[in-house]
Amino acid sequence: MIKKPARKIARKRRHLRIRNKVSGTKAMPRLSVFRSNKHMYAQIIDDVAGHTLAAASTQERDVAAKLENTSDIEAAKIVGEVIGKKALALGINEVVFDRSGYKYHGKVEALANAAREAGLQF
């Protein structure tokens, strides 16, 4: 009988594999994405110092006020725009994208494209 690992464990393995190659510095921080069943989260992280420089999620009041549903592609686009604007306000133009083991389509892709349209380069 073939045993397939749980989806969460498989995603964690992919995430660790990505994190071995992707790291953020002060000059080029890491844009990390996390999605749950109900919300989307994005952080800009300086891994050298171990600090989160900016964060955005669908749980923020100003973001949630614009949304009808916090778990769809439209919500991901708004979170991408917000994180892009926050990064530019801090003087961050370039980031390294960390998809956190998720496939690059759907909500993750929508967040990344919205961040690019807001002015981030990656």
Side-chain angles (χ1 to χ4, degrees):
M1 185 168 120
I2 298 173
K3 272 193 118 172
K4 206 170 155 185
R7 292 179 75 174
K8 190 172 185 179
I9 293 170
R11 187 194 72 82
K12 276 291 192 189
R13 283 185 184 156
R14 284 191 304 271
H15 180 54
L16 290 175
R17 209 167 39 238
I18 292 167
R19 286 288 292 121
N20 284 332
K21 299 171 187 169
V22 174
S23 181
T25 62
K26 188 156 181 82
M28 188 177 282
R30 175 171 58 101
L31 173 59
S32 179
V33 174
F34 178 76
R35 65 179 176 88
S36 69
N37 287 337
K38 290 186 178 181
H39 296 285
M40 285 290 294
Y41 306 87
Q43 292 182 351
I44 296 181
I45 304 166
D46 177 6
D47 289 316
V48 176
H51 292 296
T52 299
L53 305 173
S57 75
T58 53
Q59 289 187 323
E60 294 177 2
R61 285 193 180 123
D62 56 337
V63 175
K66 299 176 187 175
L67 299 173
E68 185 176 312
N69 187 358
T70 59
S71 63
D72 59 0
I73 289 178
E74 290 302 318
K77 287 178 185 177
I78 291 175
V79 171
E81 290 172 14
V82 170
I83 197 71
K85 289 176 185 175
K86 285 184 179 183
L88 291 177
L90 291 172
I92 300 168
N93 296 326
E94 283 189 295
V95 294
V96 177
F97 189 69
D98 176 11
R99 59 188 175 89
S100 300
Y102 301 110
K103 290 182 179 179
Y104 187 80
H105 70 90
K107 294 183 229 177
V108 176
E109 182 182 16
L111 190 145
N113 289 337
R116 280 191 187 105
E117 288 173 8
L120 281 180
Q121 296 176 351
F122 54 93

